[in-house]
Amino acid sequence: MKRRIHIGWLGLLLLSLFGRLGAQPGTDPAIVFVEGYDGMGEVQSRVLGVVVKEGFVVTNYHAVAGMSEIGIFTRDSPQKIVSNGYLSVDEKRDVIVLAAPGLDIAPKNLTLKNFPSDGEWVDVFPALNRRQIRTSTARRIGQKNIFIQELPQLLSDNISECTSGPIFQEGEFVGMVVAGYLDDQYYGYALPAYDIRRLLNRSFIIKDFNSLADQNSLKGSYFQISLVENLSSVIWLSLPEATELAPKNDKMILINVFTEWAGWSKLMDKNTYSNKRIIRYINENFYAVRLNAETDESIPFNNLTYKGDPNGSYHTLAYSLLEGNMDFPSTVFLDENLTVLLVVPGYMNARRMEVVLHYFSEKAYKVSSKSFQQFESEYWSRKEFNR
């Protein structure tokens, strides 16, 4: 007679724990180390890669650009496998598929499913100075337009820096980190695995590294450089540029109406439009325009052309937008259909500007039962809660 085995709640807990530990992606042999060397054989870069096809590894492009040699290591062996070229590359999105002859590791499947949804957690693997694996967690919080593409955005409290590396969810490879920065918390941007799958199928010929477009080592990926630019100053567009882009990309327009002589305009430039948090949020969620209320330029807007006053008075567009209330600076918010939503006259410090920006970008102004004051109170409570 077979003996029946009973498993109590403690046993189930242990089985569950060990089951989760066993499935941790940090133990996945498909994750490998990729090192770039200069002409003297010194290590200049170290990132993580993932074996995605027999003898091929996907990793971040900036780790190989301009390097004299690329070495690949598994966690189980100190023997260096020298890459003899690459299969395909996307320099702008910071990914490359390296050829690794003799790499005897089972490849990781490239998932066809969508990248994890908002609120879902993923495991991120930042590169270390040593050949070690470190797992950090992050959650998906929507997506952001980083100049040429909408990318999933990740948020984490336990990542100090990460501009490269693989992303897993429940043991499945779901993408690569292509950029990231710190702003109170870590914000990262991911290239989903299905984009890497398309890259993998783009070529069947191994090419020499000398054929790469960029022969200078990069301090960051294309997206990382774009993010640095995105954080350094507000990207000011002309009004015709903004009005062309806004309806296409469903973004609002912010117009800073100023004069050269107004002291409060200069102070707002110094204190508000130079604030890193304000810069990032405007660049990601609005098209920003600076309008000198005394310019003599002709400016087209909403099928009309507005001109400067030859007698030295205010520009007719500034006068129209502000409805004759010529306070400087003034901030005008337009929706994606170019309808004026609100004019905020006078100086706004960074704290007040932050709330106003969120009020419009989150469409809170459409909720008739909620005043701006209610939104402001709830906004700061939410900020404190999420810290």
Side-chain angles (χ1 to χ4, degrees):
M1 178 181 293
K2 293 182 179 180
R3 184 177 180 181
R4 181 174 294 175
I5 299 175
H6 294 276
I7 301 178
W9 66 268
L10 180 60
L12 288 173
L13 179 63
L14 290 172
L15 283 175
S16 173
L17 174 62
F18 284 111
R20 287 199 301 272
L21 290 174
Q24 285 295 305
T27 63
D28 199 311
I31 300 177
V32 296
F33 302 101
V34 179
E35 294 180 350
Y37 308 94
D38 61 17
M40 302 296 292
E42 297 293 326
V43 177
Q44 297 299 310
S45 66
R46 179 177 289 118
V47 293
L48 296 175
V50 178
V51 182
V52 290
K53 189 175 181 179
E54 188 174 350
F56 292 95
V57 173
V58 64
T59 192
N60 293 92
Y61 167 71
H62 73 262
V64 307
M67 299 297 168
S68 298
E69 183 179 272
I70 307 300
I72 298 170
F73 297 83
T74 68
R75 264 88 51 73
D76 300 327
S77 172
Q79 182 178 358
K80 177 170 68 177
I81 298 171
V82 177
S83 175
N84 64 338
Y86 68 97
L87 188 64
S88 51
V89 64
D90 190 332
E91 294 97 334
K92 289 185 175 180
R93 294 192 285 185
D94 196 36
V95 286
I96 188 168
V97 179
L98 301 174
L103 183 62
D104 187 21
I105 291 179
K108 199 72 182 171
N109 291 330
L110 283 167
T111 179
L112 287 172
K113 72 176 187 181
N114 292 330
F115 194 80
S117 303
D118 281 1
E120 292 189 43
W121 290 84
V122 295
D123 295 294
V124 179
F125 294 87
L128 299 177
N129 293 329
R130 302 172 303 279
R131 291 181 204 152
Q132 292 181 345
I133 297 290
R134 182 183 69 191
T135 307
S136 298
T137 57
R139 62 185 171 88
R140 164 81 181 270
I141 55 164
Q143 59 188 33
K144 297 296 181 184
N145 188 309
I146 310 298
F147 289 88
I148 63 170
Q149 181 181 346
E150 292 282 342
L151 291 180
Q153 179 176 257
L154 305 176
L155 177 67
S156 177
D157 289 318
N158 61 12
I159 298 178
S160 58
E161 181 181 7
C162 180
T163 59
S164 60
I167 306 168
F168 279 69
Q169 186 186 51
E170 297 179 353
E172 192 169 29
F173 177 49
V174 295
M176 292 287 293
V177 173
V178 293
Y181 65 91
L182 286 175
D183 183 4
D184 293 337
Q185 295 174 301
Y186 167 78
Y187 291 85
Y189 296 89
L191 187 68
Y194 49 76
D195 280 336
I196 299 172
R197 188 185 187 93
R198 286 195 285 266
L199 179 68
L200 187 65
N201 295 331
R202 187 182 297 176
S203 173
F204 301 97
I205 301 173
I206 298 174
K207 295 166 279 293
D208 189 90
F209 289 120
N210 291 329
S211 65
L212 287 175
D214 193 340
Q215 286 303 307
N216 298 312
S217 58
L218 299 177
K219 294 185 182 299
S221 71
Y222 173 83
F223 281 114
Q224 188 66 26
I225 294 169
S226 298
L227 279 173
V228 171
E229 294 174 351
N230 205 27
L231 287 169
S232 62
S233 62
V234 174
I235 300 171
W236 299 107
L237 304 178
S238 69
L239 187 58
E241 289 174 326
T243 54
E244 180 182 354
L245 291 169
K248 293 179 181 178
N249 298 312
D250 195 29
K251 277 190 177 183
M252 292 184 174
I253 295 175
L254 177 154
I255 303 178
N256 170 31
V257 185
F258 71 101
T259 64
E260 298 289 353
W261 50 263
W264 288 109
S265 290
K266 296 176 182 178
L267 197 62
M268 194 161 172
D269 285 341
K270 179 181 178 181
N271 295 340
T272 304
Y273 289 119
S274 63
N275 180 281
K276 185 171 69 171
R277 186 190 300 278
I278 299 301
I279 290 168
R280 176 175 63 82
Y281 201 80
I282 289 177
N283 288 346
E284 292 178 351
N285 297 280
F286 295 85
Y287 291 117
V289 175
R290 279 175 65 83
L291 173 61
N292 187 338
E294 297 177 321
T295 184
D296 57 3
E297 296 180 4
S298 296
I299 304 175
F301 177 68
N302 261 353
N303 300 317
L304 295 174
T305 298
Y306 294 83
K307 299 181 179 181
D309 190 326
N311 297 319
S313 187
Y314 297 120
H315 194 280
T316 54
L317 177 58
Y319 193 88
S320 175
L321 289 172
L322 303 186
E323 296 181 337
N325 300 311
M326 311 311 287
D327 291 321
F328 307 110
S330 284
T331 309
V332 184
F333 290 90
L334 283 66
D335 67 13
E336 59 277 7
N337 298 315
L338 312 184
T339 301
V340 176
L341 298 174
L342 183 69
V343 178
V344 182
Y347 172 83
M348 281 193 288
N349 62 22
R351 183 179 174 88
R352 173 48 59 92
M353 174 65 95
E354 180 176 339
V355 181
V356 173
L357 292 174
H358 280 266
Y359 178 72
F360 285 104
S361 68
E362 296 178 21
K363 313 293 186 186
Y365 67 92
K366 292 186 174 182
V367 182
S368 58
S369 60
K370 182 180 294 185
S371 67
F372 174 78
Q373 288 73 20
Q374 286 177 297
F375 176 84
E376 182 176 27
S377 176
E378 292 173 3
Y379 175 78
W380 291 118
S381 297
R382 183 178 72 198
K383 290 276 290 185
E384 291 300 320
F385 178 78
N386 287 332
R387 284 188 180 279

